[in-house]
Amino acid sequence: MSVVRIIFSILAVIVAGAHCRQITFNNRCGRDIWISPLTNGNGAPLPDGIRRLSNSGSYTYQIPNGGWGGRFWPKTGCDGSGQNCEVGQSMPPCPAGGCQPPAETKVEFFFPRTGAADSVWYDVSLVDGYSLPAEIVPSRQARKLYNQFSYGGSCVTTHCSMSLDACPSGENHVGDLRVWKGGRVAMCLAPCKKWNYPSPYGLGKSENIEPGQHLCCPTPPVSPESCRNGIVVQTQYVNLIHKTCPSAYSYAYDDEAGLHNCPNDVSFTVTFCP
């Protein structure tokens, strides 16, 4: 092979690598966890599916060049297929007692197609609830520049390490937000999810009646402005998240705190229990 051909081959590998976008998950929880992905809307699911991570283990999901949007969450106490989990089984196939509320800590991403001028968006979402500590670290970071990014977003590390012991047991309007499993608090429900999720986990009430309408902020009829000025921002849960996890989403329109963006060629490292 000629020197010129070798040089072009090396350049091709470098260019291809520059457009390789991925999300690497690390487990530091001291026990096995399972990473469960869900693609938004009608998009194609990631072929990897649910992945088991032993303690100190890792796994990398490759992002398609055509783009991808969706979420991941940790599950614990699962069977060999990553189902029938003690915590995190919020989607079918449901265990014998029914599916759990979607109160797991979620990490969410939107990747445009490779080479597009659009940003990559990401967040730690506690809108439904909280289970395990999580941290997202982008492969490149930028200071917060309000005139450069929408919503004041920025390409920075975002994390949440709230203690489940701090989960409110007497939340305004809805009561105890704690979800117990095996004699311990396994998840903390957001006020909206406590309001609208069926018994035994929640109150099973409609979002169309107050105070549920301004705890959950369905749009329509509740506008983002009305939500941000409503009772949800006065709840113990939202105030706790803002205090301990200021870069995470705590309710539906918590964009300024929770939503972040990076250039299109970024990759991420997500660590549970960092």
Side-chain angles (χ1 to χ4, degrees), residues 73-134:
W73 66 92
K75 305 163 80 173
T76 58
C78 306
D79 63 21
S81 65
Q83 305 289 3
N84 298 306
C85 306
E86 180 186 29
V87 177
Q89 195 67 44
S90 55
M91 294 185 62
C94 298
C99 273
Q100 304 155 10
E104 321 91 347
T105 302
K106 300 175 183 69
V107 292
E108 302 178 321
F109 298 89
F110 171 76
F111 287 84
R113 63 176 175 80
T114 298
D118 304 310
S119 294
V120 175
W121 296 90
Y122 64 103
D123 63 81
V124 173
S125 177
L126 312 178
V127 172
D128 293 327
Y130 174 89
S131 57
L132 293 177

Side-chain angles (χ1 to χ4, degrees), residues 107 109 122-124 134-138 156-159 268-270:
V107 292
F109 298 89
Y122 64 103
D123 63 81
V124 173
E135 179 179 72
I136 304 175
V137 181
V156 296
T157 295
T158 178
H159 70 276
F268 295 94
T269 300
V270 177

Side-chain angles (χ1 to χ4, degrees), residues 125-188:
S125 177
L126 312 178
V127 172
D128 293 327
Y130 174 89
S131 57
L132 293 177
E135 179 179 72
I136 304 175
V137 181
S139 59
R140 54 191 294 182
Q141 303 212 17
R143 291 182 299 171
K144 197 167 190 177
L145 302 173
Y146 288 97
N147 294 327
Q148 182 175 345
F149 299 113
S150 300
Y151 301 108
S154 51
C155 193
V156 296
T157 295
T158 178
H159 70 276
C160 184
S161 296
M162 184 182 84
S163 169
L164 283 168
D165 292 336
C167 183
S169 59
E171 178 61 84
N172 306 333
H173 312 291
V174 292
D176 195 347
L177 300 181
R178 297 172 298 175
V179 176
W180 293 81
K181 291 284 182 179
R184 62 181 180 85
V185 180
M187 294 185 288
C188 184

Side-chain angles (χ1 to χ4, degrees), residues 24-99:
T24 298
F25 286 86
N26 296 319
N27 173 20
R28 301 292 183 267
C29 294
R31 52 180 165 157
D32 290 356
I33 65 172
W34 285 256
I35 305 299
S36 188
L38 179 65
T39 301
N40 291 341
N42 296 319
L46 295 176
D48 315 63
I50 298 171
R51 290 289 168 168
R52 179 179 181 174
L53 299 186
S54 59
N55 185 42
S56 298
S58 65
Y59 184 80
T60 298
Y61 290 83
Q62 302 295 332
I63 302 301
N65 288 337
W68 183 83
R71 61 182 54 176
F72 301 85
W73 66 92
K75 305 163 80 173
T76 58
C78 306
D79 63 21
S81 65
Q83 305 289 3
N84 298 306
C85 306
E86 180 186 29
V87 177
Q89 195 67 44
S90 55
M91 294 185 62
C94 298
C99 273

